[in-house]
Amino acid sequence: MDRVSSFDEPLKKLLGGATAKVMAEHLDLHTVGDLLHHYPRRYEERGKLTALADLPLDEHVTVVAQVADARILMFNNGRGKRLEVTLTDGSGRLQLVFFGHGVHKPHKELLPGRQAMFAGKVSVFNRKMQLAHPTYQLLDASDADEATEAVDAFAGRLLPIYPACKQLDSWRIAKAVDAVLPSARDAVDPLPASLREGRGFTPLPEALLKVHRPQTKADIEDAKARLKWDEAFVLQVALARRRYADTQLPAVARRPVEGGLLDAFDAKLPFTLTEGQEKVSKEIFDDLATEHPMHRLLQGEVGSGKTMVALRAMLTVVDAGGQAAMLAPTEVLAQQHHRSITEMMGELAEGGMLGGSEQGTKVVLLTGSMGAAARRQALLDLVTGEAGIVIGTHALIEDKVQFHDLGLVVVDEQHRFGVEQRDALRSKGKQPPHLLVMTATPIPRTVAMTVFGDLETSVLDQLPAGRSPIASHVVPAKDKPHFLARAWERVREEVENGHQAYVVCPRIGDEAEEDGKGAKKAKAKKAAPDEDPEKRPPLAVLEVADELRKGALAGLSVEVLHGRMHPDEKDDVMRRFAAGDVDVLVATTVIEVGVNVPNATAMVIMDADRFGVSQLHQLRGRVGRGSAPGLCLLVSEAHEASPARARLSAVAATLDGFELSRIDLEQRREGDVLGQAQSGVRSSLRMLTVIDDEEVIAAAREEAVAIVAADPELEHLPELRTVLAALLDKEREEYLDKG
């Protein structure tokens, strides 16, 4: 068998159809190589018991513990029976429960003093943690032969605990790994020999054996160091090759012109740019002046002035005879950008019009819901080059849209924008246009190097002068209902002081239109006061707005805004809110990015625990945008000791987005930091944790850059090429390609 094919062998050949099917469907493991890269999550030592005190709720866990007590209890007048087993480990106790016919076997086997591995989902019953009907494997069998076997298998050995699922527990996965482990000898080693020896790494086949069947803790450390490095290195080589390929593409250099549009714009600015804006602008101008396309990620805190930096880049391109397009994820945002850019530019945005400036250009808006005549005019302005700047949604990417000379594409909030869409827009230029991606979601450096590794990164981390601080508080609505009443009083006070407020809800609340019953069900469910907040539907815009108009905010002007409204209606509400005619706007997260109403000072986020950390940070950034201080109230019914409440307390405790993105990462781990759109990258990270392994990623990036510079096609490194091809199968190639 050749060296690659044993890794490509389908699991069903070795494990049988049923097990292979569960592995494919529930764990996304299809080949021998997949299973060998399904590493243990942790290891248990024989005789050292897991901390039962630290078990996470609602997760499938595997614990090693000792039976303290087991008893059968009758219920339902003696017709039903259940077995309750108490486990102990010195740190805490855990209850197991078995019902009906399922009690006989465990009742005979789980005797006090016995030790076993148990797997199941942690739940709470009568305020006690429990596992209902867990699967288990005894670690000290009673039968002499079994005992010897069990002792051989487990005594003094480190037990690997694998990421498992309900259908397949950890020790069954361990048995499957045993069956494929001999294939580890065939692993293709991607590291150049000089790099491996220079850094003292264990050879790959040995690392795979050590990670699955370690004899000592040192084995685990050796294996992890090697496997982490491989993941970081192969990914960084892929990204370095991307960047190298980009430098080989031609682009038109766009250099600033003295006395042009940019100079005229800068001259009329009523404030000076921050140091950060100056520095980042220089990085962008340097990129624009080269003859290969800029690929830059501009990260900046909410309100740090990214739009200003992007606009100056667009004006430079217009000065140099090109056109610039800005892509926004929603119509509300495109309209908002168009409004704020034309306001900032004044007569410079009225090129060719009466009263417009000589140096000016036309700034046009292009969205899907525009009327036919306005749309025709916008398309004409683009194809003739009359419009230097266009702002729009993905309507900009349609085939009909033609540019005179597209020089720069600015993408706002890239994580909301499909990769194919970005590419389609890129193909509109005669040569690939320069690309600037903006995000207000702070991304820790390592994630930027991993997820956006094909983009150079600029960071705007200081806020412009005049921005006000935002006070944030958690409002525990269930434990302290009077706190919620006080929250509505605070909103009223802000409005009485001439300001405005947002109320944000997770849901729209017109599901009745979708399934005929949704809203009725939601209303019915809401009635039970003791209901677990996790079980009830999230609060909805339409219901909350209705209740506020009748109750806590009666007499104030309360309007709603959500994604299913007609665009004209949305724009009308936003305009009236911006003009101060609406006191309170009850909205979904459509207001999350880019909405700028300096007079809005308060925000109440309902069911705040249903939102992610960075989303809460984004939402909060909508208040305190003027000279008056902002207030953000995070309303939650989550239990005080729950992870959800810990998350909210973290958001309330700091305004530093980078700090929050770190907390977010630590809480979610990599799970979906890389997002579905990066699934190729994500599925290749099994050992590397983006948050903890900053040094590994940085070092791997350096090595990768050097290797690709010396040998872009990797002609002298066939093994690395083979492994790269496996990582970048067609789908993953596309994900990386499009960033």
Side-chain angles (χ1 to χ4, degrees), residues 572-618:
D572 176 54
V573 170
M574 256 337 285
R575 271 179 199 284
R576 287 189 295 117
F577 187 64
D581 301 338
V582 172
D583 298 325
V584 179
L585 187 62
V586 184
T588 55
T589 54
V590 291
I591 61 153
E592 182 185 346
V593 285
V595 171
N596 185 25
V597 179
N599 191 45
T601 52
M603 175 177 285
V604 181
I605 302 178
M606 307 302 290
D607 277 343
D609 45 281
R610 311 269 181 141
F611 299 98
V613 170
S614 54
Q615 201 171 25
L616 290 169
H617 182 59
Q618 288 284 314

Side-chain angles (χ1 to χ4, degrees), residues 55-134:
L55 290 182
L57 257 182
D58 284 340
E59 279 191 27
H60 282 281
V61 297
T62 302
V63 295
V64 176
Q66 196 162 24
V67 177
D69 177 52
R71 62 184 68 183
I72 284 195
L73 303 171
M74 298 298 189
F75 60 93
N76 210 356
N77 292 331
R79 288 198 295 278
K81 58 168 112 174
R82 75 171 180 271
L83 170 66
E84 284 186 3
V85 179
T86 305
L87 303 182
T88 178
D89 73 342
S91 82
R93 295 166 91 77
L94 177 68
Q95 197 151 37
L96 312 180
V97 58
F98 300 87
F99 293 100
H101 300 303
V103 305
H104 304 304
K105 186 168 180 260
H107 188 223
K108 282 198 298 214
E109 293 181 336
L110 298 177
L111 304 171
R114 299 297 287 281
Q115 206 182 343
M117 270 198 289
F118 302 88
K121 189 174 183 183
V122 184
S123 57
V124 169
F125 181 70
N126 274 345
R127 303 198 168 179
K128 285 185 184 159
M129 299 273 238
Q130 71 165 27
L131 300 181
H133 279 285

